[in-house]
Amino acid sequence: MKTKTLIVGLSLLTLSLGASRGKNVEVVSPSVEAVKIHAHLDRPLLVRGGGEQEVIVKIEVTGTPVADMEMQRPPLNLAVVLDRSGSMTGAKLEKARQAAMMLVDQLGADDVVSLVVYDSEVQVVAPARRVGKRHAELKRLIGNIQPGGSTALYAGVKSGGDQLAEYLSDEAINRVLLLSDGIANVGPKSNREIVGLGQQLTEHGMSVSTIGLGDDYNEDLMTALAESSDANYYFVDDVEMLAEVFENEIGELKSVVARKLVVEIEFPKGVRPLRYLGREDSFKKNAGTIRFSMLAGEQSREIMLSCLVDPAIFEAAKADEAAVVDVRLSYDEAMAVSKGGGLHRREVQCQAVAGLTDDVKIADKKVDQGVRADAAVWANADVSREAIALADAGKSAEAEKKIDSQIVELRSAQAAAPAAKQEVLEREISVLEESQATLKRSGDLDGGSRKRLQWSIFNRANAKSLDSRK
């Protein structure tokens, strides 16, 4: 397999891939680019005369490490929204307070932060203001938070959005960080109403990361809230992990290198896209578009898809190699160059190129088992989603059967996978086996097993890197 990459400037954004390849293109070469893109094939060699052959394409969008860039990070505009309902009494609220204090310690003087707590009602403990030298004051306010009554989740999120609006800007990263351990039971309660609120915030340039604590919250709501703005969702079944989750969130936000990423995927004549793996997006004709709100340094966002390739494409190319997919990524730089200059729109292009052989054995020998292993994990998200739907509908026997067959599929993929991918597959299998055991024992998915299964689906559907996942 060969991958060809080209980095171009803003003036080329309106050109088609074909047109830009056929002309002399001005290549912009800054000292360090914020984003790299590569496309890989599971079958880098196709068989001549073999008819249409299915090929898996893996597209990786990777952020450059912040340490390698002479940049100033974008300011943060954060609203921390904490559930202090009665169920948070004890270790949950104590660990939440400690985690929030740790987050405050990580903020700079120019960052903006607000703190909202909710039970039956909402209280703005710390209105939106620049942090300045207020770290100790903010931590004291957090330390004074005490448990209360019910769970007005909708009002809590809305208040968080209102606080962000006070300092809302295109330059800042505007995010609500929501923590809850229970079901919304005061004010608007339905998934539709609360997710609708999340979509309204997204339309105004805000995003919502969600942290579900324990086994009693609504994971469908929390995942949908995060998905609506391409933010993060965390399932935390151990309160001791809260500090790590907050650290992960603030670490990602402080190292964002690109925003408003648009991945455009085009297939040449003779290549027919079939489906995305792990995602519910679809193709239009012979093209697809995936959007990411932001990308952090060293973070990888991945897209997996399958397509059918007719070896006749090599005849059209009049060569023994031809492009299977063309990919174009455009993005906004998220960091300002410290030595002058502003933010720019950038574009990166790449191709995944396949070769041709007459020997089936040689073609099989060249199969990239790493891409195959990734594809098995991403496809597992689709099957897991189907299993949850069956269990929710009371069809536990069918759900169990689907999980059984999927475990067999993953074990088969694991046997052929490189050592680095076997651990990833083992994690997926472990989640399925837990769900399988729960179905056998109780005929249903309990809160914990359903949440773990949903969390696994979220990571795939939202293009989180397989290897960076905890």
Side-chain angles (χ1 to χ4, degrees):
M1 174 191 64
K2 297 181 180 179
T3 301
K4 299 179 180 179
T5 305
L6 177 67
I7 300 171
V8 300
L10 179 61
S11 62
L12 295 175
L13 286 177
T14 58
L15 296 179
S16 69
L17 286 168
S20 63
R21 259 196 233 86
K23 299 179 180 180
N24 293 326
V25 178
E26 179 186 359
V27 179
V28 178
S29 300
S31 57
V32 179
E33 290 296 334
V35 181
K36 296 179 176 64
I37 186 168
H38 294 91
H40 312 268
L41 305 177
D42 74 325
R43 295 184 62 84
L45 282 179
L46 300 181
V47 180
R48 194 189 312 271
E52 284 190 322
Q53 296 161 55
E54 185 172 358
V55 174
I56 302 297
V57 182
K58 176 183 177 180
I59 300 169
E60 287 184 289
V61 181
T62 306
T64 298
V66 173
D68 296 344
M69 306 178 69
E70 297 180 0
M71 300 286 192
Q72 295 176 336
R73 71 169 176 85
L76 305 183
N77 178 19
L78 303 181
V80 181
V81 180
L82 298 180
D83 182 348
R84 67 163 184 181
S85 59
S87 59
M88 288 286 291
T89 301
K92 288 182 180 179
L93 189 55
E94 175 60 25
K95 294 299 180 182
R97 285 193 295 249
Q98 291 175 11
M101 290 181 191
M102 179 279 298
L103 182 146
V104 167
D105 283 335
Q106 298 297 314
L107 297 177
D110 290 333
D111 294 323
V112 174
V113 68
S114 55
L115 177 64
V116 176
V117 295
Y118 67 95
D119 53 1
S120 303
E121 298 180 347
V122 175
Q123 178 187 0
V124 179
V125 174
R129 283 177 55 193
R130 299 198 188 280
V131 174
K133 298 180 179 180
R134 299 167 52 238
H135 294 83
E137 174 193 346
L138 289 165
K139 290 164 69 174
R140 177 181 59 78
L141 292 171
I142 292 169
N144 290 336
I145 297 172
Q146 298 299 319
S150 299
T151 308
L153 190 148
Y154 181 100
V157 175
K158 183 178 185 304
S159 182
D162 291 342
Q163 291 302 311
L164 291 185
E166 294 294 320
Y167 284 83
L168 190 67
S169 74
D170 291 336
E171 291 74 26
I173 296 175
N174 309 288
R175 177 163 293 186
V176 173
L177 180 55
L178 168 70
L179 181 146
S180 180
D181 78 331
I183 305 295
N185 53 25
V186 174
K189 308 177 185 64
S190 72
N191 287 8
R192 180 182 58 79
E193 291 172 304
I194 297 174
V195 171
L197 172 61
Q199 291 169 340
Q200 291 175 33
L201 296 177
T202 301
E203 291 171 0
H204 288 87
M206 309 176 199
S207 57
V208 184
S209 279
T210 60
I211 303 170
L213 182 58
D215 289 344
D216 296 324
Y217 68 90
N218 182 338
E219 63 269 24
D220 293 337
L221 183 152
M222 297 290 263
T223 55
L225 256 179
E227 283 179 329
S228 68
S229 56
D230 189 37
N232 296 317
Y233 158 64
Y234 304 91
F235 165 46
V236 181
D237 57 355
D238 180 357
V239 293
E240 297 294 333
M241 299 298 294
L242 272 179
E244 183 178 337
V245 167
F246 273 68
E247 185 177 4
N248 180 81
E249 182 74 5
I250 191 67
E252 178 179 314
L253 295 178
K254 289 175 67 177
S255 61
V256 170
V257 295
R259 303 173 69 178
K260 298 180 181 178
L261 296 92
V262 180
V263 182
E264 297 174 272
I265 307 163
E266 294 185 3
F267 302 89
K269 186 177 180 181
V271 181
R272 179 159 55 95
L274 296 176
R275 64 187 181 104
Y276 291 104
L277 306 183
R279 304 180 64 89
E280 296 183 284
D281 301 87
S282 59
F283 298 99
K284 293 183 178 179
K285 297 183 179 180
N286 260 35
T289 301
I290 300 293
R291 301 176 189 276
F292 302 132
S293 65
M294 59 185 64
L295 182 75
E298 299 185 81
Q299 185 179 52
S300 178
R301 305 297 299 269
E302 300 175 355
I303 303 166
M304 301 289 298
L305 59 92
S306 66
C307 58
L308 284 177
V309 182
D310 187 337
I313 64 171
F314 297 100
E315 297 174 12
K318 297 181 180 179
D320 282 347
E321 66 174 32
V324 170
V325 63
D326 293 305
V327 186
R328 177 171 58 190
L329 165 69
S330 58
Y331 65 92
D332 285 346
E333 292 177 334
M335 293 184 166
V337 180
S338 58
K339 296 180 180 180
L343 304 183
H344 300 283
R345 189 77 180 166
R346 297 291 188 187
E347 183 178 292
V348 184
Q349 298 176 11
C350 74
Q351 294 178 313
V353 178
L356 188 65
T357 180
D358 295 309
D359 194 323
V360 174
K361 291 183 179 179
I362 291 177
D364 290 343
K365 188 176 181 179
K366 290 292 185 179
V367 167
D368 187 330
Q369 296 296 345
V371 174
R372 284 273 177 94
D374 289 345
V377 175
W378 285 74
N380 183 50
D382 299 318
V383 177
S384 298
R385 193 179 287 112
E386 293 168 7
I388 288 177
L390 287 169
D392 289 349
K395 300 177 180 179
S396 58
E398 293 180 44
E400 186 180 336
K401 183 178 180 181
K402 185 169 287 291
I403 289 175
D404 287 343
S405 62
Q406 186 60 12
I407 290 173
V408 172
E409 287 285 333
L410 292 184
R411 285 292 182 202
S412 176
Q414 187 182 41
K421 300 294 183 182
Q422 289 181 8
E423 184 180 349
V424 176
L425 284 158
E426 188 60 39
R427 288 199 297 265
E428 298 291 318
I429 291 168
S430 177
V431 172
L432 288 176
E433 288 179 337
E434 178 188 347
S435 301
Q436 180 189 54
T438 301
L439 285 168
K440 289 181 183 295
R441 182 176 61 251
S442 63
D444 195 6
L445 291 174
D446 62 23
S449 60
R450 191 183 191 281
K451 286 173 173 59
R452 269 179 279 279
L453 202 55
Q454 184 78 296
W455 185 65
S456 181
I457 293 169
F458 176 88
N459 280 286
R460 298 290 75 75
N462 291 275
K464 305 302 179 182
S465 171
L466 297 175
D467 297 319
S468 65
R469 180 182 151 202
K470 298 290 183 181

